[in-house]
Amino acid sequence: MKTNPGNFFEDFTVGQVIDHATPRTITEGDRALYGAIYPTRFAVPSSAELAASVGLAPHPVEELVGFHVAFGKTVPDVSLNAVANLGYAECRFHVPVVPGDTLRTRSEVIGLKENSNGRTGVVWVRSTATNQRGEAAIEWARWVMVHKRSADSPAPATVVPDLAPAVDATDLVVPAGLDLSAYDDVAAGSPHRLGDYEVGERIDHVDGVTLTDAEHMMATRLWQNTAKVHFNTDARPDGRRLVYGGHVISLARALSFNGLANAQLIAAINAGAHVAPAFADDTVHAWSEVLDTATLDAPGVGALRLRLVATRGRDESMTLRSDDGKYADGVLLDLDYWALIPR
Amino acid sequence: MKTNPGNFFEDFTVGQVIDHATPRTITEGDRALYGAIYPTRFAVPSSAELAASVGLAPHPVEELVGFHVAFGKTVPDVSLNAVANLGYAECRFHVPVVPGDTLRTRSEVIGLKENSNGRTGVVWVRSTATNQRGEAAIEWARWVMVHKRSADSPAPATVVPDLAPAVDATDLVVPAGLDLSAYDDVAAGSPHRLGDYEVGERIDHVDGVTLTDAEHMMATRLWQNTAKVHFNTDARPDGRRLVYGGHVISLARALSFNGLANAQLIAAINAGAHVAPAFADDTVHAWSEVLDTATLDAPGVGALRLRLVATRGRDESMTLRSDDGKYADGVLLDLDYWALIPR
Amino acid sequence: MKTNPGNFFEDFTVGQVIDHATPRTITEGDRALYGAIYPTRFAVPSSAELAASVGLAPHPVEELVGFHVAFGKTVPDVSLNAVANLGYAECRFHVPVVPGDTLRTRSEVIGLKENSNGRTGVVWVRSTATNQRGEAAIEWARWVMVHKRSADSPAPATVVPDLAPAVDATDLVVPAGLDLSAYDDVAAGSPHRLGDYEVGERIDHVDGVTLTDAEHMMATRLWQNTAKVHFNTDARPDGRRLVYGGHVISLARALSFNGLANAQLIAAINAGAHVAPAFADDTVHAWSEVLDTATLDAPGVGALRLRLVATRGRDESMTLRSDDGKYADGVLLDLDYWALIPR
């Protein structure tokens, strides 16, 4: 068979290395489309001039552009037969991605655990995106629940990797040359710097965006993510196209500009859960909670650890969990990440 | 509060200067998206080769790309709490915008007038977009009706600026180096030059485009215009997303190619009224009336002053006003502008 | 009249040459939009690095980007009043199109035949797209059925051109410098090379995409194709926007990656029929049949002649024709082309 059936649980072994197709060159067209699809206004990726003024030239694209492209490559090999994306961990952005860079992704299987039902299992992979100079640009771990080809296949030895609950602030990578000591708050759109945020503070990002099928499909294709549930109304019993989880991440991150305009660069993703599926006609809102703050060893650079929550409809109460400890109705995404911000 | 509540009428004072966030770099991605969203075929912005042959290299994007980006920056500060965009005046394009340029916008409040109801007021601003060399690229005045924070606030002294009903032809700026003396009519798609148009002549542009939500949202985000009514079905009682007025301007301008293919460059916008709102599923048509003609002091360059009218549904009768002097049903836009055209 | 009424059958004469408006410069924005609208993953157009490794630098865009742009220019002059696009033949890609290239298109009328009803006729044209260096980049013949202005007009002498049923493998143009001898199968996403495909073999490309109006309009505008049936719900009695046939070609070609990932470059289009119209909400699938194979005179380069069939809904039986010899229900496109593939 010449078409790709995807891998089933039996096809993975701990230590296995997969070089994913296909390398992809990032262009200014990607930046423009990202800005057309998400309401992003962060000044560093918006302005080459402002980026250069803080030491970033050539002009990086948003970290999530690189992440989605790098992630998309893993889908045909890792999650084409996935039942669910279960989580992310230890995602760090090592080198900014700039137009002209070509990204490749390689994954290593770092964990396997068959589920007690005998029909599915959990696969952990650590993936690394490298640029054309062979530099690791982005790395992350994720785990997915995958169908077994046959319930009769024997279970492999269980290996559950030891993943950090969060990237330690001392392990955050500051892009080479970044200097926020002469940062222009007015141009960036907010006077609020590191010291203005307190742990526990919650910010309702106010704005909302109603989803359309055309837009999420265009975004998802841009990342060469081929999972059919995003594109084909025949692929699900309800005839609806499931929105790629990364689309909700980018949308919520863009909405967070209103309240976090100076949280310019994503340095790490600590954890993430796609709590509920999103569909066209859902109106997505977002709120953030400050989980931690840190001062980094680069001029003027601090970091905020943020919980970013996307919801269906606006929730001004910013309720993450209901009384029974489960996620509250309407929560779509619970993302934990570190952003760089001027001190 | 870290989120932007926008300014209310009380927040403006005559003489106040606002530096708007966020600077934005124009790219070839913007040109491509503009061409995907609007049916534009004007040869100068379409072809780098043809642009260079008339003295414009590097290759400018359409004037409205720069305008929308520059305008979008003013929205969070000027019109987030606007009831209505009331008008434009004295808009001139000084320096072509080319990929790689970074635009910033600064506005000065030039007029204030509280309405007799005590709940709203009119704010006039003059805005200037500058490029990374500090050159004024685009300037314009506009006025908007804005909510007061409180009906109890005292009214400011009324200042109504003296705005010209139209930019005088002698004040039009011809881009440095523009030479239309060897202009290629065949490549441009029309033999009709300045002398072929008569004052009073009306042109039905024939073609129509049915609007979709995905397209107008993508355009509006590209300009970093954040007014929620364009994106969020919860933001209006009727659950419909209001199409950004500039979207209708660009759509009508693109449709005007069919009849005005040689009106290559917009030099000035004299006045503009968004007569009625547009929504997805509306089919937009356009017609133009020649208001004036001029010969400019540059080789081969003339100018047409045009009224560009966008309508819901095609109106072959090209009726602007009904018997009672109001705009005729179906009129969406009444725009008065100067375009450069070969003589 | 200053607007374009299009040409009617009476306006064409054999030997007539038409220089089409408007020249258009290809950019990285076009590549990004192509990737957002079609689920393409072919490694050569995806990766500048991989393209350079096989001798193609600067980085070509997909052949269909150039084809659609070049084709779109012919629409206002050739097919604005077309009843139907009847066929393609002898389409060859001579020189890769790269960002920065400006394409112009010229057509020559090579055949005319009035239909027996006296109201329509068939026009054959041969079109050539040239780049800014004057090199022929793409050439093709097509024929369309066009309305007569008047049934009373006398019929011209019938001239039916002699068009080859397929481009001979010995006439295929291999891009200068192409060397597939060190081709990277893993990066490209498939181990299957020329020798792995057998004449008669059929491949079901599995994946499907449900069409939206926003996406096909954006694509069609990008090619500056102005036929109103694609954009305007008032243009057809059923109120539906007809999807541009080329949109289905690009969609099917992109879907064919799954099974033909190494068929990297289109070298020729031998024939093509738009069998049935496509509309928003149709889910398009594709299958291919290997019609021929060839070894070409360039290092590591072979060619596959492929029938690419797009269908509404998936047809795992891959049935082209029903018992009565007509196309089977659901067939949208029947395209015959040559692709270059590593041996």
Side-chain angles (χ1 to χ4, degrees):
Chain A
M1 185 162 67
K2 294 195 172 75
T3 51
N4 175 30
N7 287 313
F8 291 86
F9 186 67
E10 295 92 327
D11 299 319
F12 297 98
T13 54
V14 173
Q16 177 184 5
V17 170
I18 306 171
D19 283 301
H20 304 291
T22 61
R24 179 158 168 326
T25 303
I26 305 296
T27 74
E28 287 293 352
D30 295 310
R31 190 198 309 276
L33 270 158
Y34 197 84
I37 295 172
Y38 306 110
T40 181
R41 290 188 289 149
F42 293 103
V44 169
S46 176
S47 166
E49 186 196 23
L50 194 141
S53 79
V54 297
L56 299 180
H59 189 195
V61 295
E62 298 214 15
E63 293 73 30
L64 290 174
V65 171
F67 178 77
H68 292 315
V69 165
F71 180 95
K73 316 234 141 305
T74 70
V75 169
D77 299 313
V78 173
S79 49
L80 206 66
N81 299 310
V83 184
N85 282 296
L86 298 175
Y88 305 96
E90 300 187 359
C91 172
R92 292 195 300 165
F93 296 84
H94 293 273
V95 176
V97 174
V98 301
D101 278 356
T102 298
L103 295 181
R104 293 180 179 236
T105 308
R106 168 180 287 192
S107 297
E108 180 178 352
V109 178
I110 58 170
L112 288 175
K113 181 172 184 293
E114 184 165 307
N115 287 327
S116 56
N117 62 21
R119 294 195 308 271
T120 57
V122 179
V123 180
W124 283 261
V125 295
R126 184 180 302 280
S127 301
T128 306
T130 53
N131 64 24
Q132 70 286 358
R133 291 183 300 276
E135 300 164 339
I138 313 168
E139 61 167 346
W140 70 96
R142 72 162 169 142
W143 54 107
V144 294
M145 189 188 303
V146 178
H147 284 292
K148 287 179 69 178
R149 188 175 281 110
S150 161
D152 299 334
S153 308
T158 293
V159 177
V160 175
D162 185 25
L163 296 170
V167 175
D168 196 90
T170 58
D171 290 331
L172 295 176
V173 181
V174 176
L178 183 68
D179 179 347
L180 297 179
S181 54
Y183 183 82
D184 181 348
D185 299 60
V186 172
S190 165
H192 304 294
R193 293 174 172 233
L194 179 67
D196 298 311
Y197 292 90
E198 289 182 23
V199 173
E201 178 177 355
R202 292 188 179 198
I203 302 163
D204 171 7
H205 298 303
V206 179
D207 308 308
V209 171
T210 307
L211 301 175
T212 71
D213 278 320
E215 290 169 299
H216 77 75
M217 289 199 292
M218 290 180 71
T220 308
R221 277 190 212 105
L222 200 60
W223 322 129
Q224 299 182 321
N225 179 333
T226 60
K228 66 186 173 187
V229 290
H230 306 315
F231 301 106
N232 180 343
T233 57
D234 300 339
R236 290 168 44 92
D238 66 3
R240 297 198 293 175
R241 283 163 277 200
L242 183 69
V243 173
Y244 160 52
H247 189 69
V248 177
I249 294 177
S250 278
L251 189 48
R253 163 72 179 159
L255 290 169
S256 79
F257 176 89
N258 195 0
L260 286 166
N262 289 333
Q264 289 281 354
L265 303 162
I266 297 180
I269 297 174
N270 301 306
H274 297 291
V275 176
F279 298 97
D281 299 333
D282 287 347
T283 298
V284 177
H285 287 259
W287 56 270
S288 293
E289 178 182 357
V290 179
L291 297 178
D292 200 357
T293 67
T295 295
L296 302 188
D297 186 24
V301 180
L304 285 178
R305 184 176 161 199
L306 297 159
R307 162 172 282 144
L308 174 62
V309 178
T311 56
R312 183 184 297 113
R314 184 174 175 189
D315 175 17
E316 296 183 62
S317 75
M318 296 181 271
T319 305
L320 187 67
R321 297 194 182 269
S322 51
D323 292 342
D324 58 4
K326 294 183 183 164
Y327 280 105
D329 277 356
V331 173
L332 300 172
L333 170 75
D334 179 14
L335 189 79
D336 177 342
Y337 73 106
W338 280 104
L340 303 185
I341 186 167
R343 329 182 211 122
Chain B
M1 184 162 67
K2 294 194 171 75
T3 52
N4 175 30
N7 288 313
F8 290 87
F9 186 66
E10 295 92 327
D11 299 319
F12 296 99
T13 55
V14 172
Q16 178 184 5
V17 171
I18 306 171
D19 283 301
H20 305 291
T22 60
R24 177 153 166 337
T25 303
I26 306 295
T27 73
E28 287 294 351
D30 296 310
R31 190 198 309 276
L33 269 157
Y34 196 84
I37 294 172
Y38 306 110
T40 181
R41 290 189 288 151
F42 293 103
V44 169
S46 175
S47 167
E49 186 196 23
L50 194 140
S53 78
V54 298
L56 299 179
H59 189 195
V61 295
E62 297 213 16
E63 293 74 29
L64 291 174
V65 172
F67 178 78
H68 292 314
V69 166
F71 179 96
K73 317 233 141 303
T74 71
V75 169
D77 299 314
V78 174
S79 49
L80 205 65
N81 300 310
V83 185
N85 282 296
L86 298 175
Y88 305 96
E90 300 185 1
C91 173
R92 292 193 301 164
F93 296 85
H94 293 272
V95 176
V97 175
V98 302
D101 279 357
T102 298
L103 295 181
R104 293 180 179 235
T105 308
R106 168 180 286 191
S107 297
E108 180 179 352
V109 178
I110 58 171
L112 288 174
K113 180 173 185 294
E114 184 165 307
N115 288 327
S116 55
N117 62 21
R119 294 194 308 272
T120 57
V122 179
V123 181
W124 283 260
V125 295
R126 187 180 300 280
S127 301
T128 306
T130 53
N131 64 23
Q132 69 285 0
R133 292 182 300 275
E135 301 163 338
I138 312 168
E139 62 168 343
W140 70 97
R142 71 163 169 142
W143 54 107
V144 294
M145 189 188 302
V146 177
H147 285 291
K148 286 179 69 179
R149 188 175 280 109
S150 162
D152 299 334
S153 308
T158 293
V159 177
V160 176
D162 186 26
L163 295 170
V167 175
D168 197 90
T170 58
D171 290 330
L172 295 176
V173 180
V174 176
L178 183 68
D179 179 346
L180 297 179
S181 55
Y183 182 81
D184 181 347
D185 300 59
V186 173
S190 165
H192 303 295
R193 293 174 171 231
L194 180 67
D196 298 312
Y197 291 91
E198 288 183 22
V199 173
E201 178 177 356
R202 293 187 178 198
I203 302 162
D204 171 7
H205 299 303
V206 180
D207 307 308
V209 171
T210 306
L211 300 175
T212 70
D213 279 318
E215 290 168 300
H216 77 76
M217 290 198 292
M218 290 180 72
T220 307
R221 277 191 212 104
L222 200 60
W223 321 130
Q224 300 182 322
N225 179 333
T226 60
K228 66 186 172 185
V229 290
H230 306 315
F231 300 106
N232 180 342
T233 57
D234 299 339
R236 290 168 44 91
D238 66 3
R240 297 197 293 174
R241 282 164 278 200
L242 184 68
V243 172
Y244 160 52
H247 189 68
V248 177
I249 294 177
S250 278
L251 188 49
R253 163 72 178 158
L255 289 169
S256 79
F257 176 90
N258 195 0
L260 285 165
N262 289 333
Q264 290 281 354
L265 304 162
I266 298 180
I269 296 174
N270 301 306
H274 297 292
V275 176
F279 298 97
D281 298 332
D282 287 348
T283 298
V284 177
H285 287 258
W287 57 269
S288 294
E289 178 182 355
V290 179
L291 298 177
D292 201 357
T293 67
T295 295
L296 302 188
D297 187 25
V301 180
L304 285 178
R305 185 178 161 198
L306 296 159
R307 162 172 283 144
L308 174 61
V309 178
T311 56
R312 183 183 298 111
R314 185 174 175 188
D315 175 16
E316 295 183 63
S317 75
M318 296 182 271
T319 304
L320 187 66
R321 298 195 180 268
S322 52
D323 292 344
D324 58 5
K326 294 183 182 163
Y327 280 105
D329 277 355
V331 172
L332 300 172
L333 170 76
D334 179 15
L335 189 80
D336 177 343
Y337 74 106
W338 281 104
L340 304 185
I341 185 168
R343 329 183 212 122
Chain C
M1 184 162 66
K2 294 194 171 75
T3 51
N4 175 29
N7 287 312
F8 291 86
F9 186 67
E10 294 91 327
D11 299 318
F12 296 98
T13 54
V14 172
Q16 179 184 3
V17 171
I18 306 171
D19 283 302
H20 305 291
T22 60
R24 177 153 166 336
T25 303
I26 305 296
T27 74
E28 287 294 353
D30 295 311
R31 190 198 310 275
L33 269 158
Y34 197 83
I37 295 172
Y38 305 110
T40 180
R41 290 188 288 150
F42 292 102
V44 168
S46 175
S47 167
E49 185 196 24
L50 193 141
S53 78
V54 298
L56 300 180
H59 189 195
V61 295
E62 298 215 15
E63 294 73 30
L64 290 173
V65 171
F67 178 77
H68 292 315
V69 165
F71 180 95
K73 317 232 142 306
T74 70
V75 169
D77 299 314
V78 173
S79 49
L80 206 66
N81 299 310
V83 185
N85 282 297
L86 298 175
Y88 305 96
E90 299 185 1
C91 173
R92 291 193 302 164
F93 296 85
H94 293 273
V95 176
V97 174
V98 302
D101 278 356
T102 298
L103 295 181
R104 294 180 178 235
T105 307
R106 168 179 287 191
S107 296
E108 180 179 351
V109 178
I110 58 171
L112 288 174
K113 181 171 183 296
E114 183 165 309
N115 287 326
S116 55
N117 61 21
R119 294 194 309 272
T120 57
V122 179
V123 180
W124 284 260
V125 295
R126 185 180 301 279
S127 301
T128 306
T130 53
N131 63 24
Q132 70 284 1
R133 291 182 302 274
E135 299 164 339
I138 313 168
E139 62 167 343
W140 71 96
R142 71 164 168 142
W143 54 108
V144 295
M145 189 187 303
V146 177
H147 284 291
K148 287 180 68 178
R149 188 174 280 111
S150 161
D152 298 334
S153 308
T158 293
V159 176
V160 176
D162 186 25
L163 296 170
V167 175
D168 196 272
T170 58
D171 291 331
L172 295 176
V173 180
V174 176
L178 183 68
D179 179 346
L180 297 179
S181 53
Y183 183 82
D184 182 347
D185 298 60
V186 172
S190 165
H192 303 295
R193 293 175 170 232
L194 179 66
D196 298 311
Y197 291 91
E198 287 183 24
V199 173
E201 178 177 355
R202 294 187 177 197
I203 302 162
D204 171 7
H205 299 303
V206 179
D207 307 309
V209 171
T210 306
L211 300 175
T212 71
D213 278 318
E215 290 168 299
H216 77 76
M217 290 198 292
M218 289 180 71
T220 308
R221 276 190 213 104
L222 200 60
W223 321 131
Q224 300 182 321
N225 179 332
T226 60
K228 66 186 173 187
V229 290
H230 306 315
F231 301 106
N232 180 343
T233 56
D234 300 338
R236 290 167 44 92
D238 65 3
R240 297 198 293 175
R241 282 164 278 200
L242 184 69
V243 173
Y244 160 52
H247 189 69
V248 178
I249 294 177
S250 278
L251 189 48
R253 164 71 179 159
L255 290 170
S256 79
F257 176 90
N258 195 359
L260 285 165
N262 289 332
Q264 290 280 354
L265 303 162
I266 298 180
I269 297 174
N270 300 305
H274 297 292
V275 176
F279 299 97
D281 298 331
D282 286 348
T283 298
V284 177
H285 287 258
W287 57 269
S288 293
E289 178 182 355
V290 179
L291 298 177
D292 201 356
T293 67
T295 296
L296 302 188
D297 187 23
V301 180
L304 285 178
R305 185 178 161 198
L306 296 159
R307 161 173 283 143
L308 174 62
V309 178
T311 57
R312 183 184 297 113
R314 185 174 175 189
D315 176 16
E316 295 182 63
S317 75
M318 297 181 271
T319 304
L320 187 66
R321 298 195 180 268
S322 52
D323 291 344
D324 58 4
K326 295 184 181 162
Y327 280 105
D329 277 355
V331 172
L332 299 172
L333 170 76
D334 178 14
L335 189 79
D336 176 342
Y337 73 107
W338 281 104
L340 303 185
I341 185 168
R343 329 183 213 122

